Amino acid sequence: MLILGIETSCDETSASVMRGEDVLSNVISSQEVHAQFGGVVPELAARAHLQMIIPVVRRALTDAGVSLTDIEAIAVTAEPGLHGALLVGENFAKALAMTHNVPLMPINHLEAHIYSGFLERRDIAFPFLALVVSGGHTMIVLVHSIHQLQLLGTTQDDAAGEAFDKVAKLLGLGYPGGPAVDRLAAKGNPKTVVFPKPLMHEDNFDFSFSGMKTSALNIIRKPSNTFSKEDICASFQSAVVQILATKTIRAAQRYNVRDIVVAGGVSANSHLRADMLRRCDALHIRLTVPRLAYCTDNAAMITNLAAMKFAAGIVPPATVASATSTLLPFRV
Ligand code: KG4
Ligand code: ZN
């Protein structure tokens, strides 16, 4: 089946074409307009999607070497995300599906992150555990089957990516902050600054990152602060990664899974990747972290989940709106 997937939930306009399990194209256009504001401005995001949606879809078709009339189904991110941004993709996809008389599969963005590991290997065994860490969400999900997800824990306040972004902003590192913190951390000493590790030892799978952000604020604004940016980044990153990894591994052991997928924008973090790999290797658990282009927001993961759903015999619902929150209880 030849599927065109579209993603416009936040600040990347993306389109991808897959034939069966093969990704033929994955075009991602990142909006730069938000950098000056230190965060995504919803209204500007929607307008930028309107500008980019046609060129991005055209490019995805060209890169794949196919034309619109070859497409047999369309997949689109239906939630969660910024409403105005989502509407651009949803309406565009609806119109295409209607004019070409092909089915439209609405996809939950977080569920797509969870299954992005399958873009790297197809033999991930159910039940598997997914740690989804992005700018908007941090959660541990037990995936029983393509029909059943179990949310084990989530953040009680900020998402991990949001915490990275806020610390980066305090340090004047620009937006998005995660990659900048990652880069500086490589030159710092993670043992210099002591950060709290909220909920790490609690017997649950929830997270809380807002206290760490406040702690960073107090350290950075203190007149007597002599810590370098590198040391603050290294210490902060190390604490966040320790929390994420400790809780994920604990869940994997509790539920006896053999496969873990780490996905979402923060899974691009070099320390998180290295630390999870070390811990998983020690326990003979297989870790899958998608390549960078499949970690941050992209349409290949949307197309991939649609392909998996079609392959499992899941029929698209009658309307996009009625389809979306059957598995994950999130709406941003
Ligand atoms: O999944 P994503 O692209 O968008 C959302 O759905 O939120 O995630 C974006 C988040 C941002 O907060 C960004 O700072 C973070 O992922 N991020 C990173 C790294 N690369 C991106 N965080 C830590 N280290 C990185 N290398
Ligand atoms: Zn995302």
Side-chain angles (χ1 to χ4, degrees):
M1 195 176 201
L2 195 65
I3 306 179
L4 167 68
I6 294 171
E7 150 70 34
T8 64
S9 68
C10 192
D11 58 343
E12 336 276 349
T13 315
S14 183
S16 166
V17 176
M18 284 181 73
R19 178 176 276 119
E21 296 180 345
D22 297 329
V23 179
L24 304 186
S25 64
N26 183 35
V27 178
I28 303 168
S29 166
S30 299
Q31 302 175 357
E32 274 152 28
V33 60
H34 309 288
Q36 58 189 304
F37 302 105
V40 179
V41 183
E43 174 68 20
L44 296 179
R47 284 168 193 265
H49 285 307
L50 272 176
Q51 273 175 342
M52 291 311 295
I53 188 98
I54 290 178
V56 165
V57 168
R58 276 218 175 101
R59 179 69 194 274
L61 293 167
T62 310
D63 284 4
V66 301
S67 74
L68 208 43
T69 48
D70 300 325
I71 298 295
E72 292 166 280
I74 293 176
V76 68
T77 306
E79 72 168 12
L82 304 169
H83 291 299
L86 286 169
L87 280 174
V88 176
E90 280 181 16
N91 281 311
F92 190 83
K94 268 187 185 172
L96 275 188
M98 194 177 158
T99 47
H100 291 269
N101 197 25
V102 294
L104 175 66
M105 183 70 90
I107 293 292
N108 181 296
H109 180 89
L110 296 170
E111 203 185 339
H113 273 305
I114 290 168
Y115 283 95
S116 61
F118 287 81
L119 286 161
E120 299 300 344
R121 55 165 66 105
R122 290 284 158 191
D123 61 344
I124 294 170
F126 291 101
F128 70 90
L129 199 74
L131 169 68
V132 179
V133 264
S134 73
H137 299 277
T138 302
M139 56 188 195
I140 299 180
V141 180
L142 183 60
V143 188
H144 295 280
S145 75
I146 190 122
H147 306 283
Q148 196 193 356
L149 301 178
Q150 184 183 350
L151 182 66
L152 299 183
T154 184
T155 182
Q156 295 179 350
D157 39 59
D158 293 354
E162 196 179 349
F164 270 98
D165 292 336
K166 284 177 177 166
V167 168
K169 194 172 177 183
L170 288 172
L171 291 170
L173 302 179
Y175 178 86
V181 172
D182 197 354
R183 257 192 318 276
L184 281 196
K187 296 182 220 139
N189 178 355
K191 297 206 163 64
T192 335
V193 191
V194 178
F195 278 97
K197 300 192 187 84
L199 303 186
M200 191 166 90
H201 299 294
E202 303 269 318
D203 188 23
N204 60 34
F205 301 110
D206 288 334
F207 300 99
S208 168
F209 293 107
S210 71
M212 298 181 71
K213 175 192 64 192
T214 311
S215 181
L217 176 75
N218 292 338
I219 291 160
I220 294 163
R221 298 262 165 95
K222 206 171 174 181
S224 58
N225 170 36
T226 52
F227 296 124
S228 69
K229 288 186 181 182
E230 287 80 359
D231 285 347
I232 294 173
C233 286
S235 305
F236 173 78
Q237 177 176 276
S238 163
V240 173
V241 167
Q242 216 178 317
I243 298 166
L244 292 172
T246 301
K247 291 220 141 170
T248 306
I249 294 293
R250 200 186 293 152
Q253 289 182 300
R254 174 89 44 96
Y255 291 95
N256 202 20
V257 303
R258 303 315 307 158
D259 273 287
I260 295 179
V261 173
V262 181
V266 182
S267 66
N269 185 268
S270 57
H271 183 48
L272 179 61
R273 287 172 171 247
D275 195 56
M276 280 299 295
L277 191 61
R278 185 181 54 77
R279 293 178 193 237
C280 284
D281 277 354
L283 294 167
H284 305 292
I285 294 172
R286 193 167 60 163
L287 176 70
T288 304
V289 189
R291 72 195 70 174
L292 292 186
Y294 298 152
C295 280
T296 47
D297 288 349
N298 68 92
M301 69 179 189
I302 305 300
T303 320
N304 170 62
L305 181 54
M308 291 178 71
K309 286 186 181 244
F310 279 117
I314 296 172
V315 179
T319 70
V320 170
S322 71
T324 49
S325 59
T326 48
L327 290 172
L328 288 166
F330 291 112
R331 177 115 219 167
V332 171

